[in-house]
Structure formats: C-alpha cells, structure tokens
Amino acid sequence: MTASDDDLAAGGGLLHRRTLLRGGVLAGGLGAAFAARAADGIGEGSPETMRVPGAPFSGYGVPAHWRGDIKRSIGAVPDRPGTGASRTPLERLEGTITPAGLHYERHHNGIPDIDPAAHTLIVHGLVKQPLVFSLDALLRYPMHSRAAFVECAGNSGGMIAPQPAQTTAGGLHGLVSCSEWTGVPLSLLLDEAGVDPRATWLLAEGGDAAGMSRSVPLWKCRDDAMIALYQNGEPIRPEQGFPMRLLLPGFQGNMNVKWLRRLKLTVGPTFTKDETSRYTELMPDGKAREFMVEMGVKSVITRPSFGLNMQGPGLYEISGLAWSGAGKIAKVEVSADGGKSWAQAALNGPVQDKALTRFRLPWRWQGAPSLLLSRATDEHGNVQPKRADWLAQYAPGQAYQFNAIAAWQVEAGGGIKHAYA
Ligand SMILES: Nc1nc2c(c(=O)[nH]1)N[C@H]1C(S)=C(S)[C@@H](COP(=O)(O)O)O[C@H]1N2
Ligand SMILES: [Mo]
C-alpha cells in the first residue's frame, strides 16, 4: 500500500506530487460487522437512518449540525461589538470557495442595515454626466462572474511577534476568504458617466457608520474592478456589503469598500482618514510607504496544522492555500525539513487569477519531528519571502501585508505547534 522510496521527492518523507497512493491510507481488515454493513437492501442490520424517514425540506439549508463547531473566531473591540474582525476557520475547510457564512468580516463601525429599495450609487466628480444608480437599474446591466479572494492588509500580522502565537491556521491567517462574485464591471459605469481626462483616481465611500473611504487608481477601476451584487450565487451578504460592494481583485481588503454609495472621480488620491491613519508602512529610513495597494504572493498549509494532530505515522496529504494579488499562482513548494529540501506540490486546477488556489502533496510521516513550510511563486515570478527578510524591509513593528513563509512544527507525539522558520 505504501509508496516506494522511488516516490520520495524531498527530505522528511515528502512524496512526489503524482504519487498514486495505491490501496489507500487505511487498508484495514474486514471485521465481523462487515457482513451486516455490506448486506444488500434494507433489513435488520441496516443503520437506523435507513429504517426511519428522514427530516423534511427547509427553505434555506444550514450546515450539518455534527459540524456546528466550524465557526468564525470573533475579535471585537470591547464595548463596540461591531468593530473588529472575525476570521475564517481555514483549517476546517477544503477547496477554494469560502462559504458566505464563514467569509471573514472586518467592520470599522458595525454592519449597516441598508434598504436596497432606498439605496443608490452615485458617480460624480470629474465626469461629463453625474449618474445615480438604483439597485434595480444596476441589475439591468451586463454582469460578470469571477472568483476572487479578499484579504485584509492586517492578515497574518501576528507573525511579527517575537514568539510564534500558538493558534490555528484560521486564527493566524483567516483574514482571507474567496468567493465567486457577480456584478457590473465598473468600466461600464465609468464609460457611461464619461470620465474627464484629468481624472486619474476615484474616491469610493461606504454607507456605514465608519464612512469608510479609499482612493483607488483609475487604471484598476478600468481593469477588473466590479460593483459586486452577488456572492457565491446569492445576493451579497450584509457582512460583505449588501446591497453592493466595490470589488478590486488582489487589492488590500480595505479598498474593497462595502455598502458602496459614492464614487467621485478626482485628479489624484484624496488622502482620506482611512488611508492616512492606516495602511501605510514605515520604512527603515523613517519614510512612510503609502498606497501599497496590491497584496503579495502567499501560501499557508491548512492541513496538517495547529489543532489538527497527527493520527500516528503513515500516509497523509498536505493541503493548503496559495494566492497572489498580482495574478495566478505558478507553483507551491513544500518542505518537511524546515527548508533544507523542497518538493513541488500539485496545484488543484483550474488555477484562477487573484483567487485562492488549493495545493496538495502526499507525505509519508515516519513519526519524527518535522518542520512543515510552504513557499508560493506567482506567474510574475514573485516568491514568498522568509520571515526575517520580510521584517528587514520595514521599520520595527510594521505588520501590514505580511506574506512571509509560515511553518508548523509537527512533534514526535503528533502534536502540532506554530513555529517560525
Ligand atoms: N464601508 C466599509 N467598507 C469596508 C470596511 C468597513 O469597515 N466599511 N472594512 C474594510 C476592510 S478593512 C476589509 S479587510 C474588508 C473586509 O471585507 P469582508 O468583511 O467582506 O471580509 O472590507 C473593507 N471595506
Ligand atoms: Mo482590513
């Protein structure tokens, strides 16, 4: 059943990504209960669920109650329950699309309850013709669907701490989620309004109590920006910006303004409170880098990871997520020996532009301590940096857009700790 030594791709038992695990992971013997379980038809020995009728239909389904513990972890500001963030439990999910109810949330002043019939989107400023769109009007425009991740600029920022925090993959990196978004390409609305040639940026404003506002370069608005109205096929959730949000694939989460109400074409950036008090990075020479709009190339092993202990030596699949704000993932390498040797993981296609990509690699764990790492490269040749190299780019304490290589220490007993490589 086990792969042969010919299948070894790197140290620590990493197998070639195309290794066929013939016979499976657990080829156990057939016990006495097997005959009853394998009997044809419904009879005395059939499970209870085959002998009584099942539950009725429901208007809107919910996840299996057996898995009711798969939840976002909430970190809100004390006394301000709508301010803070909740994180996607990455280590409990598979595939690449985040269920809407588990999409991470980041609200600066709670979730507004917006009446879609009363809401409008205004396009004004340096345009030939200012326009006001109702939701019904927007719903008549040609739409487009695409997968895209949204990632908070503060995601994984905890990894700047001197000691690795002992928490889950979601707890560390769960401010990223991926959905299939459907909406109206922003370029259509800009063409209709007629952009004045002097305009090179626009100001996007949300209709929440934070009045979250960000300046967006016009090239992005004309490239792949969208007024998103649907998320995974259903109307966008209140937490994600109902009735509409600005979707800027690959850009910092905060620029994807939720509850979008206004777009103002401007000569340059507006320097709003949200982009001067936050989202700039202090450099070692004391200067600040601003408008670092694009998220870096990154990957995280979600299984095995903290909280999901090993079940004894044997075959496992290492599974994780990779993404880049610049485009598609080109490759992900995995190491089981702390970076001494690397094997290339399989990318579970289709690999999509600025969307989460699942990577997989078979691993024969022999019960020895192993330091698991993953390193992603995108189609433009951007490579995930080492933690020390990432930290050296900026002044001490900077944490936005942290995309360094993350590590899990698998201990001899099968426990898993967060570690730095
Ligand atoms: N109007 C408005 N838009 C907003 C925010 C907000 O508080 N208000 N938070 C921003 C931040 S910081 C992030 S990371 C993303 C989070 O999007 P999500 O809650 O759909 O995951 O929305 C951004 N858009
Ligand atoms: Mo954010």
Side-chain angles (χ1 to χ4, degrees):
M1 81 169 251
T2 49
S4 73
D5 286 349
D6 299 346
D7 297 316
L8 285 174
L14 290 178
L15 304 178
H16 191 274
R17 64 188 181 279
R18 281 190 283 268
T19 306
L20 286 176
L21 300 178
R22 287 177 211 88
V25 174
L26 292 177
L30 306 180
F34 180 77
R37 288 194 176 222
D40 287 333
I42 298 182
E44 292 263 302
S46 301
E48 173 78 5
T49 52
M50 295 180 76
R51 288 185 277 117
V52 297
F57 305 96
S58 61
Y60 200 120
V62 295
H65 71 85
W66 302 100
R67 294 289 177 268
D69 60 332
I70 303 183
K71 288 195 171 137
R72 293 186 281 224
S73 54
I74 300 171
V77 176
D79 304 327
R80 281 192 287 151
T83 302
S86 71
R87 288 158 188 265
T88 299
L90 299 174
E91 68 286 357
R92 305 292 305 273
L93 303 176
E94 253 296 341
T96 56
I97 295 294
T98 313
L102 293 174
H103 196 286
Y104 86 91
E105 306 164 89
R106 171 78 179 97
H107 317 309
H108 291 249
N109 204 355
I111 306 161
D113 182 22
I114 296 179
D115 175 355
H119 184 79
T120 55
L121 172 63
I122 299 167
V123 179
H124 70 137
L126 291 173
V127 292
K128 296 200 180 70
Q129 175 66 55
L131 298 170
V132 181
F133 299 91
S134 66
L135 178 60
D136 282 344
L138 281 180
L139 287 167
R140 291 169 56 186
Y141 279 77
M143 292 207 218
H144 179 67
S145 300
R146 64 161 298 157
F149 73 81
V150 180
E151 182 181 19
C152 181
N155 196 25
S156 317
M159 275 183 68
I160 71 161
Q163 295 303 319
Q166 293 310 320
T167 182
T168 58
L172 289 162
H173 313 289
L175 294 177
V176 65
S177 303
C178 185
S179 305
E180 186 207 57
W181 306 96
T182 299
V184 181
L186 179 51
S187 59
L188 285 182
L189 306 185
L190 294 179
D191 286 346
E192 193 169 340
V195 176
D196 184 314
R198 285 172 299 162
T200 57
W201 289 70
L202 61 70
L203 170 73
E205 181 188 72
D208 56 334
M212 178 102 191
S213 320
R214 285 287 332 243
S215 304
V216 185
L218 194 57
W219 69 262
K220 181 65 174 178
C221 300
R222 290 205 179 284
D223 182 20
D224 57 4
M226 169 195 293
I227 309 298
L229 305 170
Y230 292 87
Q231 177 183 5
N232 300 338
E234 63 181 353
I236 191 167
R237 295 270 173 115
E239 297 87 333
Q240 267 66 64
F242 181 86
M244 60 188 71
R245 94 178 297 165
L246 181 60
L247 183 76
L248 302 174
F251 272 28
Q252 290 182 331
N254 65 78
M255 300 182 74
N256 293 251
V257 173
K258 302 189 281 190
W259 314 295
L260 183 68
R261 64 178 296 273
R262 197 162 66 93
L263 295 171
K264 182 183 182 186
L265 281 290
T266 53
V267 174
T270 300
F271 298 101
T272 68
K273 68 178 188 331
D274 296 302
E275 57 203 15
T276 51
S277 68
R278 288 194 173 87
Y279 312 123
T280 63
E281 206 91 287
L282 195 62
M283 307 304 288
D285 65 3
K287 287 187 179 160
R289 182 180 285 177
E290 56 193 9
F291 299 110
M292 306 169 48
V293 294
E294 196 175 275
M295 299 306 290
V297 61
K298 192 158 163 181
S299 68
V300 171
I301 294 172
T302 55
R303 198 162 41 87
S305 65
F306 181 95
L308 308 175
N309 293 347
M310 308 296 287
Q311 314 274 303
L315 287 171
Y316 290 84
E317 182 181 74
I318 295 172
S319 173
L321 293 166
W323 63 97
S324 167
K328 292 181 184 175
I329 288 296
K331 71 173 176 187
V332 179
E333 297 154 292
V334 172
S335 175
D337 54 17
K340 286 199 218 50
S341 63
W342 298 84
Q344 203 171 325
L347 300 184
N348 193 145
V351 176
Q352 292 170 287
D353 176 59
K354 301 163 195 153
L356 295 186
T357 296
R358 178 66 60 175
F359 64 88
R360 305 177 184 284
L361 190 69
W363 180 36
R364 187 171 57 205
W365 183 54
Q366 274 154 339
S370 309
L371 189 57
L372 292 179
L373 324 179
S374 63
R375 177 172 67 190
T377 303
D378 71 18
E379 60 178 335
H380 303 292
N382 300 308
V383 187
Q384 227 183 322
K386 288 184 185 164
R387 183 172 171 276
D389 294 341
W390 189 94
L391 290 172
Q393 300 175 96
Y394 302 113
Q398 302 305 292
Y400 286 128
Q401 289 181 240
F402 188 94
N403 71 327
I405 293 171
W408 301 113
Q409 176 69 52
V410 178
E411 300 179 316
I416 302 175
K417 284 206 166 129
H418 179 214
Y420 287 153

PDB file of all heavy atoms in Angstrom, residues 104 106 108 151-154 253-254 279, ligand 2:
ATOM      1  N   TYR A 104     -14.506  35.854   6.174  1.00  0.00           N
ATOM      2  CA  TYR A 104     -14.048  36.716   7.282  1.00  0.00           C
ATOM      3  C   TYR A 104     -14.789  38.048   7.202  1.00  0.00           C
ATOM      4  O   TYR A 104     -15.334  38.405   6.147  1.00  0.00           O
ATOM      5  CB  TYR A 104     -12.528  36.903   7.250  1.00  0.00           C
ATOM      6  CG  TYR A 104     -12.015  38.023   6.373  1.00  0.00           C
ATOM      7  CD1 TYR A 104     -11.836  39.305   6.893  1.00  0.00           C
ATOM      8  CD2 TYR A 104     -11.705  37.819   5.037  1.00  0.00           C
ATOM      9  CE1 TYR A 104     -11.354  40.336   6.101  1.00  0.00           C
ATOM     10  CE2 TYR A 104     -11.224  38.848   4.242  1.00  0.00           C
ATOM     11  CZ  TYR A 104     -11.054  40.099   4.777  1.00  0.00           C
ATOM     12  OH  TYR A 104     -10.581  41.121   3.995  1.00  0.00           O
ATOM     13  N   ARG A 106     -14.575  42.245   8.465  1.00  0.00           N
ATOM     14  CA  ARG A 106     -13.833  43.347   9.076  1.00  0.00           C
ATOM     15  C   ARG A 106     -14.707  44.582   8.922  1.00  0.00           C
ATOM     16  O   ARG A 106     -14.956  45.038   7.799  1.00  0.00           O
ATOM     17  CB  ARG A 106     -12.479  43.530   8.371  1.00  0.00           C
ATOM     18  CG  ARG A 106     -11.720  44.776   8.788  1.00  0.00           C
ATOM     19  CD  ARG A 106     -11.019  44.593  10.140  1.00  0.00           C
ATOM     20  NE  ARG A 106     -10.269  45.798  10.517  1.00  0.00           N
ATOM     21  CZ  ARG A 106     -10.743  46.752  11.344  1.00  0.00           C
ATOM     22  NH1 ARG A 106     -11.936  46.647  11.882  1.00  0.00           N
ATOM     23  NH2 ARG A 106      -9.996  47.793  11.638  1.00  0.00           N
ATOM     24  N   HIS A 108     -15.413  48.524  10.465  1.00  0.00           N
ATOM     25  CA  HIS A 108     -14.842  49.608  11.264  1.00  0.00           C
ATOM     26  C   HIS A 108     -15.884  50.256  12.165  1.00  0.00           C
ATOM     27  O   HIS A 108     -15.531  50.965  13.101  1.00  0.00           O
ATOM     28  CB  HIS A 108     -14.189  50.649  10.358  1.00  0.00           C
ATOM     29  CG  HIS A 108     -12.944  50.132   9.693  1.00  0.00           C
ATOM     30  ND1 HIS A 108     -11.690  50.579   9.992  1.00  0.00           N
ATOM     31  CD2 HIS A 108     -12.770  49.157   8.769  1.00  0.00           C
ATOM     32  CE1 HIS A 108     -10.791  49.922   9.279  1.00  0.00           C
ATOM     33  NE2 HIS A 108     -11.432  49.054   8.522  1.00  0.00           N
ATOM     34  N   GLU A 151      -8.475  39.881   1.018  1.00  0.00           N
ATOM     35  CA  GLU A 151      -7.580  39.684   2.156  1.00  0.00           C
ATOM     36  C   GLU A 151      -7.342  41.011   2.856  1.00  0.00           C
ATOM     37  O   GLU A 151      -7.000  42.012   2.214  1.00  0.00           O
ATOM     38  CB  GLU A 151      -6.225  39.099   1.713  1.00  0.00           C
ATOM     39  CG  GLU A 151      -5.294  38.828   2.890  1.00  0.00           C
ATOM     40  CD  GLU A 151      -3.916  38.279   2.510  1.00  0.00           C
ATOM     41  OE1 GLU A 151      -3.502  38.423   1.344  1.00  0.00           O
ATOM     42  OE2 GLU A 151      -3.263  37.706   3.405  1.00  0.00           O
ATOM     43  N   CYS A 152      -7.515  41.010   4.159  1.00  0.00           N
ATOM     44  CA  CYS A 152      -7.255  42.203   4.967  1.00  0.00           C
ATOM     45  C   CYS A 152      -5.756  42.487   4.963  1.00  0.00           C
ATOM     46  O   CYS A 152      -4.937  41.564   5.061  1.00  0.00           O
ATOM     47  CB  CYS A 152      -7.732  41.976   6.397  1.00  0.00           C
ATOM     48  SG  CYS A 152      -7.478  43.407   7.463  1.00  0.00           S
ATOM     49  N   ALA A 153      -5.403  43.768   4.864  1.00  0.00           N
ATOM     50  CA  ALA A 153      -3.986  44.150   4.887  1.00  0.00           C
ATOM     51  C   ALA A 153      -3.320  43.697   6.192  1.00  0.00           C
ATOM     52  O   ALA A 153      -2.111  43.504   6.252  1.00  0.00           O
ATOM     53  CB  ALA A 153      -3.851  45.658   4.729  1.00  0.00           C
ATOM     54  N   GLY A 154      -4.118  43.504   7.244  1.00  0.00           N
ATOM     55  CA  GLY A 154      -3.561  43.092   8.535  1.00  0.00           C
ATOM     56  C   GLY A 154      -3.454  41.588   8.704  1.00  0.00           C
ATOM     57  O   GLY A 154      -2.989  41.113   9.750  1.00  0.00           O
ATOM     58  N   GLY A 253      -7.843  44.391   1.288  1.00  0.00           N
ATOM     59  CA  GLY A 253      -9.253  44.238   1.646  1.00  0.00           C
ATOM     60  C   GLY A 253      -9.957  45.566   1.863  1.00  0.00           C
ATOM     61  O   GLY A 253     -11.066  45.790   1.383  1.00  0.00           O
ATOM     62  N   ASN A 254      -9.296  46.479   2.575  1.00  0.00           N
ATOM     63  CA  ASN A 254      -9.971  47.731   2.957  1.00  0.00           C
ATOM     64  C   ASN A 254     -10.384  48.581   1.764  1.00  0.00           C
ATOM     65  O   ASN A 254     -11.246  49.438   1.880  1.00  0.00           O
ATOM     66  CB  ASN A 254      -9.096  48.519   3.924  1.00  0.00           C
ATOM     67  CG  ASN A 254      -7.812  48.971   3.271  1.00  0.00           C
ATOM     68  OD1 ASN A 254      -7.799  49.932   2.515  1.00  0.00           O
ATOM     69  ND2 ASN A 254      -6.729  48.262   3.539  1.00  0.00           N
ATOM     70  N   TYR A 279      -2.775  51.728   6.955  1.00  0.00           N
ATOM     71  CA  TYR A 279      -2.402  51.138   5.659  1.00  0.00           C
ATOM     72  C   TYR A 279      -1.212  51.787   4.979  1.00  0.00           C
ATOM     73  O   TYR A 279      -1.038  51.681   3.778  1.00  0.00           O
ATOM     74  CB  TYR A 279      -3.621  51.100   4.707  1.00  0.00           C
ATOM     75  CG  TYR A 279      -4.856  50.546   5.374  1.00  0.00           C
ATOM     76  CD1 TYR A 279      -6.036  51.276   5.449  1.00  0.00           C
ATOM     77  CD2 TYR A 279      -4.833  49.280   5.962  1.00  0.00           C
ATOM     78  CE1 TYR A 279      -7.161  50.769   6.084  1.00  0.00           C
ATOM     79  CE2 TYR A 279      -5.953  48.767   6.600  1.00  0.00           C
ATOM     80  CZ  TYR A 279      -7.103  49.528   6.661  1.00  0.00           C
ATOM     81  OH  TYR A 279      -8.211  49.037   7.294  1.00  0.00           O
TER      82      TYR A 279
HETATM   83 MO    MO B   2      -8.819  45.128   6.556  1.00  0.00          MO
END
